[in-house]
């Protein structure tokens, strides 16, 4: 399949919508990623060293 296709000017607005982006909510995705990595890197309640968190909220 070829990726080259001419798009009419009145159709370009549909391609510019936020839903057409690869990541439509980049800030929300970044916050979720930060929270996930923070929980996974948290120290376990059974050890004093870092890492090994259970991922609990």
């Amino acid at each position: 399949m070829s990726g080259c296709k001419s798009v009419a000017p009145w159709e370009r607005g549909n391609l510019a919508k936020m839903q057409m982006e690869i990541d439509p909510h980049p800030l929300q995705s970044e916050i979720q990623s930060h929270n996930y990595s923070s929980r996974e890197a948290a120290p376990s309640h059974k050890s004093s060293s870092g890492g090994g968190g259970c991922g609990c909220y």
Side-chain angles (χ1 to χ4, degrees), residues 21-57:
E21 293 184 19
I22 293 173
D23 188 6
H25 305 288
L27 181 60
Q28 182 179 2
S29 298
E30 183 65 31
I31 291 170
Q32 286 177 344
S33 174
H34 174 74
N35 287 339
Y36 176 78
S37 64
S38 296
R39 285 194 311 269
E40 290 299 317
S44 174
H45 67 279
K46 296 179 181 177
S47 70
S48 60
S49 63
C54 66
C56 302
Y57 286 100

